[in-house]
């Protein structure tokens, strides 16, 4: 018996390299394939230039932050209109005054965007349900989520492969609402601001172009900040 | 656009063995159609209304007086308002809040217990059995007409004294005029009801043939066919079935069958193999309708959700109400787009109210059991036949998630649709997601994109935030004097400060645009106001669309 098992193990060791090679070849055919598109949303435009490898991993939590007049809504449109969102559904939770016409003009496929403007007190539950079906769940007023609920949501995002996008404005001067803080651990933090305009002169013309500055901080790239300014 | 369908290819539809047999015979239907139902309640209040019913900007019903003014079904609401500025517009979802129609339609129940309310003003029964029992189809039709008249006079005693002495209560042009028809399938019966015709069995196809293609319940497809040179239902029906299916998909195939008089979509009971019926037993018997509705709400929600999880929407639901003393009320309710909880609860309430207000049949005790039995269910994905499998699965997941969200939030999640208009807010219509999933064609958005710009439309891109309600601000000069608009074209004073009323914040105005004057609600002379819009840019990089109305300034949108 002993000799038999010895032969086996010798054979095994002898074959190891060859077997490994052929398994490697085989795995291309038989292994369950996870395509890149099932793990990432490919970005384009401005966000592609600041996100590492031009894509954002499904299951991550992204914070969009800025004061009022910071172009934060436009930054969200940049995400929703990116190429990788083409066949994906997104949900907007708590966006009360969104200008869908602007989103449409930016190239967002409105047929795949569902809006829940007044989620009420059960915000966390609403977001959890939406994550089962939507690739991106954007939340505009996360004030009603406690930190334990937030932790649950993050682990759900990881398992259901949805991106949570939290949009946070420090104080909205136009509605006098301050947006609640949610949590401190984001995978990506996008800060936006508007750095200039063109097209207007005192009493003439119209706004032809605005310049949107986006900067990305991420735990995944060692906290380095990458910035870009784009015309919108 | 693919190739034109040439006349050479016109030929009788040839069905292969693969066609399910039952789809070639339509059920015999008796249908009662009221011509001016939505205007009945207004008329009873003593006015002869010049009114139309509007659904998403399109006229769907016209009152007799409006008809005389030249307004037709299918007109745009804006154009008809320009024809008759005093026109009263009723929204389609606000037509019959108190369930009056259910109390009229109940007269049909003495002929067949399986009453279907097709829509408000139209109800039908499957006529095969009853016509044999009542001595022939002609006899049944005249008996039904008589019973309907009696029922109307019973429910509306006021109708007995016609305001206009020469007019007959049920004559043409009266709001109570209605037609009774018998034909194969609801589609044919509906057209036949206009002249109270009895179309013999099997002749629905030749009856429909001369009618224009616009009779199809799908305006867009009718337009396309019209452009392709297919002008009548008969011409459409004689196109090859499989070519139509290839070109127009499953919906086109369905309409093709309808045009040939083979509308099977009515009053079918045998379709459902699985038993989805559910009983709701209330913990105590209740008499007040709203209490019953409240008590069964959660279970109704659960039942519909269960159906949806299996991938179905229910189009016809049989509602059986049982009182404590064993009396019963059974009725079939139909909804084209599938029942939501709210719609079904509404129907239950109507049935309860009409049951308890009927002197003969009213129950002697409160309601104890409600039984719901789906009569016709359709796949929730029926309009998604052209999509690939993975996408279909994702739509099923999406509709599941959204119906749960609706239940949590208590209102419907919605999807934005773009239509042509002058202001950013009016250009967007929020559609409940269920309707959207049923009708997921992006052609409308594309059309809006290609459409020429509206006169008075704002230049440049649209604001990313549109405030609703608008945010009041004051625009002040350097000296603190209010800036106002003179003669719609010039500003008095140069804007220097902008102050937001609600937060008290102040910002410096750096630049502002030229002025865009526009009439708001111009189609409504009583409420139309002149507004003037300008864009301003503030020192904290705010880019705003503000407008002046009645001497006040409002932020309409924010270029965020």
């Amino acid at each position: 018996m002993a000799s038999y098992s010895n032969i086996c193990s010798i054979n095994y060791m002898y074959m190891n390299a060859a077997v490994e090679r052929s398994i490697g070849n085989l795995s291309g055919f038989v292994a369950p394939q996870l395509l890149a598109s099932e793990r990432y949303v490919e970005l384009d435009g401005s966000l592609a230039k600041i996100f590492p490898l031009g894509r954002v991993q499904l299951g991550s939590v992204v914070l969009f932050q800025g004061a009022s007049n910071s172009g934060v809504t436009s930054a969200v449109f940049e995400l929703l209109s990116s190429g990788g969102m083409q066949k994906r559904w997104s949900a907007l939770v708590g966006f009360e005054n969104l200008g869908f016409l602007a989103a449409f003009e930016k190239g967002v496929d409105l047929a795949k965007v569902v809006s829940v403007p007044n989620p009420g007190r059960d915000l966390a539950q609403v977001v959890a349900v939406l994550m089962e079906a939507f690739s991106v769940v954007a939340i505009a007023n996360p004030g009603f989520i406690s930190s334990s609920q937030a932790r649950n949501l993050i682990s759900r995002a990881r398992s259901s492969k949805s991106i949570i996008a939290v949009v946070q404005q420090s104080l909205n001067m136009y509605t006098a609402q301050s947006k609640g803080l949610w949590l401190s651990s984001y995978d990506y933090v996008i800060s936006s601001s508007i750095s200039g305009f063109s097209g207007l002169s005192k009493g003439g013309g119209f706004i032809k172009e605005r310049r949107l500055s986006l900067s990305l901080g991420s735990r995944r790239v060692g906290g380095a900040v990458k910035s870009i300014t784009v015309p919108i | 656009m693919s190739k034109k369908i040439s006349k050479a290819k016109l030929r009788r539809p040839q069905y292969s063995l693969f066609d399910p047999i039952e789809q070639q015979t339509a059920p015999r239907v008796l249908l009662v159609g009221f011509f001016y139902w939505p205007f009945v309640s207004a008329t009873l209040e003593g006015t002869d209304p010049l009114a139309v019913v509007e659904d998403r900007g399109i006229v769907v019903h016209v009152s007799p007086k409006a008809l005389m003014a030249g307004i037709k079904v299918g007109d745009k609401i804006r154009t008809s308002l320009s024809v008759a500025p005093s026109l009263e517009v009723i929204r389609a979802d606000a037509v019959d809040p108190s369930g009056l129609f259910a109390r009229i339609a109940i007269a049909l129940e003495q002929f067949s217990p399986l009453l279907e309310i097709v829509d408000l003003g139209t109800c039908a029964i499957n006529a095969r059995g009853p016509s044999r029992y009542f001595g022939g189809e002609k006899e049944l039709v005249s008996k039904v007409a008589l019973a309907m008249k009696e029922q109307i006079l019973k429910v509306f005693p006021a109708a007995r004294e016609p305001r206009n002495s020469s007019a007959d209560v049920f004559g043409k042009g009266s709001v109570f005029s209605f037609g009774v028809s018998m034909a194969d399938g609801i589609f044919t019966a509906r057209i036949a009801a206009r002249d109270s015709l009895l179309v013999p069995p099997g002749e629905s196809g030749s009856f429909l043939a001369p009618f224009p293609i616009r009779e199809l319940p799908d305006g867009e497809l009718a337009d396309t066919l019209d452009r392709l040179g297919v002008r009548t239902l008969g011409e459409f029906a004689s196109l090859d079935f499989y070519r139509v299916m290839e070109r127009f998909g499953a919906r086109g195939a369905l309409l093709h069958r309808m045009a040939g008089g083979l509308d099977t979509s009515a009053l079918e009971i045998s379709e459902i193999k699985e038993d989805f019926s559910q009983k709701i037993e209330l913990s105590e018997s209740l008499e007040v309708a709203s209490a019953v509705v409240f008590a069964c709400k959660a279970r109704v929600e659960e039942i519909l959700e269960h159906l949806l999880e299996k991938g179905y929407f229910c189009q016809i639901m049989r509602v059986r109400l049982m009182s404590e003393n064993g009396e019963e009320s059974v009725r079939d309710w139909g909804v084209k787009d599938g029942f939501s909880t709210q719609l079904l609860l509404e129907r239950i309430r109507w049935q309860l109210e009409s049951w308890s207000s009927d002197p003969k049949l009213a129950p002697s005790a409160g309601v104890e059991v409600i039984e719901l039995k789906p009569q016709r269910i359709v796949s929730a994905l029926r309009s998604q036949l052209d999509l690939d499998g993975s996408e279909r699965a994702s739509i099923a997941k999406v509709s599941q998630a959204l119906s749960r969200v609706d239940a949590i939030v208590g209102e419907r999640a919605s999807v934005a649709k773009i239509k042509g208009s002058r202001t950013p807010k009016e250009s967007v219509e929020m559609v409940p997601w269920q309707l959207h999933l049923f009708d997921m064609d992006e052609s409308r958005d594309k059309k809006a994109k290609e459409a020429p710009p509206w006169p008075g439309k704002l230049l440049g891109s649209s604001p990313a935030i549109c405030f609703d309600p608008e945010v009041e601000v004051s625009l002040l000069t350097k000296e603190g004097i209010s800036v106002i608009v003179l003669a719609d074209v010039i500003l008095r004073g140069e804007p220097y400060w902008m102050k937001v009323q609600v937060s008290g914040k102040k910002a410096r105005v750096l630049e502002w645009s030229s002025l865009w004057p526009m009439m708001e609600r111009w189609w409504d002379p009583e409420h139309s106001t002149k507004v003037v819009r300008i864009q301003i840019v503030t020192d904290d990089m705010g880019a705003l669309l503000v407008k002046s109305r009645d001497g006040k300034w409002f932020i309409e949108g924010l270029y965020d």
Side-chain angles (χ1 to χ4, degrees), chain B residues 104-408:
Chain B
I104 297 292
I106 202 168
L108 271 183
E109 266 185 352
Q110 48 184 297
F111 301 99
S112 162
L114 304 179
L115 162 68
E116 181 179 338
I117 295 191
V118 185
D119 55 34
L120 286 173
T122 315
C123 51
I125 54 173
N126 191 327
R128 188 152 286 153
S131 59
R132 234 174 294 147
Y133 183 84
F134 287 95
E137 296 195 332
K138 255 187 204 155
E139 284 71 19
L140 179 62
V141 167
S142 54
K143 280 197 172 108
V144 165
L146 209 66
M148 286 314 277
K149 287 182 184 175
E150 273 171 19
Q151 185 73 7
I152 289 168
L153 294 177
K154 209 163 85 192
V155 177
F156 303 109
R160 215 177 271 280
E161 317 124 28
R163 250 168 299 289
N164 193 337
S165 56
S166 65
D168 172 17
V169 184
F170 300 107
K172 283 251 172 204
S174 144
V175 281
F176 289 111
S177 56
F178 64 93
V180 183
S181 68
M182 192 163 329
D184 298 343
I186 282 196
F187 177 67
T188 319
R190 211 191 251 272
I191 292 179
R194 290 175 206 162
D195 299 304
S196 290
L197 295 175
L198 199 157
V199 184
E203 285 180 29
S204 286
S206 46
F207 167 74
L208 287 175
F211 282 91
I213 197 75
R214 307 245 158 225
E215 296 285 352
L216 286 180
D218 181 327
E220 218 159 290
L221 183 77
D223 277 348
T224 314
L225 286 168
D226 198 45
R227 262 182 277 125
L228 291 171
V230 181
R231 297 279 141 79
T232 64
L233 293 177
E235 281 171 21
F236 182 41
S238 61
L239 295 175
D240 183 71
F241 175 77
Y242 290 100
R243 282 193 187 281
V244 171
M245 186 132 131
E246 250 170 58
R247 176 75 171 71
F248 300 108
R251 176 146 180 83
L254 191 79
L255 293 167
H256 178 264
R257 282 205 205 98
M258 266 190 189
L262 298 171
D263 171 23
T264 51
S265 68
L267 311 161
E268 283 288 305
I269 301 153
S270 55
E271 278 177 38
I272 300 174
K273 309 269 186 300
E274 202 175 332
D275 186 14
F276 288 108
S277 67
Q278 291 280 346
K279 259 191 189 156
I280 304 173
E281 282 174 33
L282 305 178
S283 50
E284 51 179 333
S285 74
L286 296 166
E287 286 180 13
V288 184
S290 54
V292 175
V293 167
F294 185 76
C296 67
K297 184 176 177 220
R299 284 280 290 142
V300 167
E301 214 160 73
E302 208 178 295
I303 290 165
L304 290 178
E305 202 170 295
H306 171 71
L307 268 179
L308 197 64
E309 266 167 27
K310 298 231 165 189
Y312 296 116
F313 278 116
C314 174
Q315 278 186 319
I316 299 180
M317 182 73 89
R318 177 169 304 170
V319 179
R320 184 194 301 271
L321 305 171
M322 279 167 266
S323 80
E324 207 177 6
N325 293 349
E327 292 123 321
E328 278 190 5
S329 153
V330 186
R331 190 169 310 165
D332 283 8
W333 295 98
V335 165
K336 200 175 83 213
D337 293 316
F339 275 109
S340 67
T341 312
Q342 202 192 342
L343 284 176
L344 185 53
L345 288 174
E346 208 167 53
R347 300 304 188 280
I348 294 175
R349 192 170 57 95
W350 290 354
Q351 186 171 343
L352 276 164
E353 278 169 359
S354 69
W355 189 25
S356 50
S357 63
D358 188 317
K360 261 190 252 161
L361 300 168
S364 55
V367 174
E368 202 172 34
V369 180
I370 299 168
E371 194 187 59
L372 298 175
K373 189 170 186 189
Q375 294 297 307
R376 176 154 28 108
I377 51 180
V378 289
S379 162
L381 311 170
R382 63 170 181 176
S383 59
Q384 305 305 326
L385 297 171
D386 49 344
L387 300 172
D388 59 90
S390 66
E391 192 149 14
R392 215 181 300 179
S394 85
I395 289 176
K397 263 164 78 184
V398 163
S399 60
Q400 261 179 37
L402 288 176
S403 53
R404 281 167 64 194
V405 167
D406 285 359
I408 299 168

Side-chain angles (χ1 to χ4, degrees), chain B residues 435-489:
Chain B
L435 291 183
H436 170 70
L437 286 188
F438 270 118
D439 171 36
M440 229 179 73
D441 58 356
E442 287 121 71
S443 51
R444 213 160 134 215
D445 284 353
K446 276 183 199 133
K447 251 187 247 156
K449 202 173 198 172
E450 287 157 10
W454 282 64
K457 190 187 176 298
L458 302 166
L459 292 166
S461 56
S462 304
I465 304 273
C466 293
F467 290 109
D468 188 16
E470 287 147 359
V471 178
E472 194 176 343
V473 290
S474 37
L475 277 190
L476 307 169
T477 64
K478 202 169 184 176
E479 295 77 31
I481 301 162
S482 296
V483 175
I484 57 167
V485 178
L486 293 178
D488 298 340
V489 283

Side-chain angles (χ1 to χ4, degrees), chain B residues 11-56:
Chain B
R11 58 172 191 242
R12 295 299 307 165
Q14 300 199 332
Y15 293 94
S16 80
L17 285 173
F18 299 106
D19 274 332
I21 299 288
E22 69 268 15
Q23 288 184 336
Q24 297 190 30
T25 56
R28 203 73 186 136
V29 166
L30 181 142
L31 182 137
V32 178
F34 283 82
F35 305 131
Y36 308 111
W37 179 262
F39 312 105
V40 161
S41 49
T43 311
L44 288 180
E45 282 160 22
T47 52
D48 189 6
L50 177 68
V52 293
V53 177
E54 167 248 19
D55 186 17
R56 281 172 253 170

Side-chain angles (χ1 to χ4, degrees), chain A residues 73-74 97 105 201-202 210, chain B residues 462 466 503 510 512 559-560:
Chain A
T73 313
S74 295
N97 295 317
E105 288 166 356
S201 60
K202 295 197 185 305
R210 293 174 300 140
Chain B
S462 304
C466 293
S503 66
L510 298 180
W512 62 97
Y559 296 87
D560 187 43

Side-chain angles (χ1 to χ4, degrees), chain B residues 406-454:
Chain B
D406 285 359
I408 299 168
V409 178
E411 62 178 40
R412 294 206 203 167
S414 54
V415 172
K417 288 217 161 161
I418 303 296
K419 51 184 188 178
S421 184
R422 292 194 290 184
T423 68
K425 203 162 68 191
E426 282 170 18
S427 307
V428 175
E429 183 190 358
M430 299 307 290
V431 184
W433 62 270
Q434 288 99 331
L435 291 183
H436 170 70
L437 286 188
F438 270 118
D439 171 36
M440 229 179 73
D441 58 356
E442 287 121 71
S443 51
R444 213 160 134 215
D445 284 353
K446 276 183 199 133
K447 251 187 247 156
K449 202 173 198 172
E450 287 157 10
W454 282 64

Side-chain angles (χ1 to χ4, degrees), chain A residues 69-74 77 87 89 97-102 104-105 110-116 118-119 122 125-126 129-130 132-134 169 171 173-176 194 196-197 200-207 210, chain B residues 388 391 394 397-398 401-402 404-405 408-409 411 413-416 418 428 436-437 445 459-468 471 500 502-503 505 510-514 535 537 540-544 555 558-560:
Chain A
N69 307 330
S70 59
V72 76
T73 313
S74 295
F77 290 163
K87 284 202 164 175
W89 288 79
N97 295 317
L98 205 69
F100 283 98
L101 185 60
F104 174 67
E105 288 166 356
L110 293 183
K112 290 229 161 59
V113 177
V114 178
S115 173
V116 184
N118 305 304
D122 297 316
Q125 205 189 340
V126 168
V129 171
L130 287 173
E132 287 168 18
F134 289 82
Q169 288 184 324
L171 172 75
M173 65 181 278
Y174 303 107
T175 55
I194 296 284
F197 297 91
L200 282 187
S201 60
K202 295 197 185 305
F206 63 95
I207 301 175
R210 293 174 300 140
Chain B
D388 59 90
E391 192 149 14
S394 85
K397 263 164 78 184
V398 163
L402 288 176
R404 281 167 64 194
V405 167
I408 299 168
V409 178
E411 62 178 40
S414 54
V415 172
I418 303 296
V428 175
H436 170 70
L437 286 188
D445 284 353
L459 292 166
S461 56
S462 304
I465 304 273
C466 293
F467 290 109
D468 188 16
V471 178
V500 182
V502 59
S503 66
K505 296 255 179 203
L510 298 180
E511 309 276 1
W512 62 97
S513 71
S514 47
Q535 288 175 327
V537 167
D540 57 350
M541 289 299 149
L544 305 141
I555 304 180
L558 177 63
Y559 296 87
D560 187 43

